[in-house]
Amino acid sequence: MNTDTIKKSLGEGMDIGRIRQEIIESSTDTIYRKYLNGNEVWYFKVLLGEQNYSNKYDEFKRYVNTKLNIRFNEIAIFGSAKCGFSLSPDKNLSLFHEDSDIDLALVSRELYMQFWEAYLKKLYNGEIESYNRFAKGVFRKFIELDQFPEDISLYQEWEKLADADFYHHLQFEFGISHDINYRIFESWDAVENYYKAGISELKRKLEVS
């Protein structure tokens, strides 16, 4: 799906100027609740045009639950796939586009600790030289799998679950053609803190721009 198709699918209801002003004038909590909470996912509702978009989102989570062994209530889409535009302070409200990823939050302390302990073991064995970027995520209680060492067996086991068949099913059953960026959070509080911090920084940038 190309950028023009995506922009067309936004329709005329996406007024970035109005959203910009709303972010400046509203509290961080208000923006978080309005755009990142709930079962309304822009990717399913607008881009894919699903009439029963909440049900489709639930079906997607049930599939991820079954395939990746993650509990249904530990799965959530965030980022620009959630609301159609980015709330990242570095992206200036950019629209979801053909090269965007779907940010999938997996909220499981058990899974978080498994990956953290596997990484820590490799670090203590002297097999990791630079870990600053990874450590920044752990400090905020999340792990990004695209930063995880591919030679760790736990990661390799994950790759066997999130294999080509997994993505083919997502494409043909759900119409999902974009890459998925996995972020494992220690708790829902960690999720909220992470995204609210981004919104707060975005507010500050918009206020002076």
Side-chain angles (χ1 to χ4, degrees):
M1 185 175 293
N2 60 39
T3 303
D4 290 339
T5 302
I6 291 175
K7 286 183 177 179
K8 182 179 179 181
S9 69
L10 280 168
E12 298 181 359
M14 184 71 74
D15 185 342
I16 291 298
R18 177 191 60 78
I19 292 171
R20 179 186 299 269
Q21 196 61 32
E22 181 182 19
I23 291 172
I24 293 172
E25 296 175 353
S26 303
S27 70
T28 296
D29 286 349
T30 297
I31 298 301
Y32 177 82
R33 288 195 302 268
K34 179 173 182 179
Y35 290 105
L36 296 181
N37 270 358
N39 264 11
E40 185 172 315
V41 176
W42 174 89
Y43 195 93
F44 289 110
K45 181 180 180 180
V46 179
L47 184 61
L48 299 183
E50 294 287 348
Q51 184 174 2
N52 297 317
Y53 52 87
S54 292
N55 291 339
K56 201 67 176 180
Y57 182 38
D58 284 346
E59 289 177 21
F60 164 77
K61 290 199 292 183
R62 278 192 287 270
Y63 177 68
V64 174
N65 157 236
T66 300
K67 183 66 176 177
L68 302 185
N69 297 323
I70 306 294
R71 294 184 182 92
F72 177 87
N73 61 357
E74 295 176 342
I75 301 163
I77 288 177
F78 281 92
S80 56
K82 179 71 168 73
C83 53
F85 59 92
S86 177
L87 286 166
S88 168
D90 300 322
K91 296 183 178 179
N92 194 31
L93 301 176
S94 61
L95 300 179
F96 189 94
H97 54 82
E98 60 181 343
D99 295 322
S100 294
D101 292 335
I102 295 174
D103 293 331
L104 191 63
L106 307 175
V107 189
S108 167
R109 188 176 191 281
E110 179 183 2
L111 190 63
Y112 172 85
M113 292 304 300
Q114 287 176 359
F115 274 90
W116 169 225
E117 289 170 1
Y119 188 94
L120 197 59
K121 181 178 179 181
K122 191 174 183 68
L123 178 67
Y124 283 155
N125 286 338
E127 300 173 49
I128 296 176
E129 295 181 1
S130 177
Y131 57 90
N132 288 344
R133 186 181 174 192
F134 185 86
K136 287 180 180 179
V138 172
F139 182 77
R140 292 176 287 175
K141 297 186 178 181
F142 67 80
I143 291 171
E144 292 183 285
L145 287 187
D146 63 358
Q147 299 174 17
F148 206 79
E150 296 181 2
D151 59 344
I152 293 181
S153 60
L154 184 62
Y155 181 86
Q156 294 168 357
E157 291 169 9
W158 175 271
E159 287 285 279
K160 290 178 182 177
L161 297 177
D163 58 8
D165 288 341
F166 172 73
Y167 285 100
H168 288 158
H169 186 87
L170 288 179
Q171 183 170 1
F172 291 111
E173 180 65 25
F174 296 97
I176 294 174
S177 57
H178 293 81
D179 290 337
I180 296 178
N181 177 44
Y182 300 96
R183 189 177 278 120
I184 303 172
F185 286 90
E186 184 267 345
S187 66
W188 283 106
D189 284 342
V191 172
E192 189 168 333
N193 290 337
Y194 172 74
Y195 283 102
K196 283 185 177 180
I199 294 170
S200 294
E201 187 177 346
L202 175 63
K203 278 173 60 66
R204 289 192 294 270
K205 288 189 174 184
L206 294 179
E207 287 167 356
V208 299
S209 63

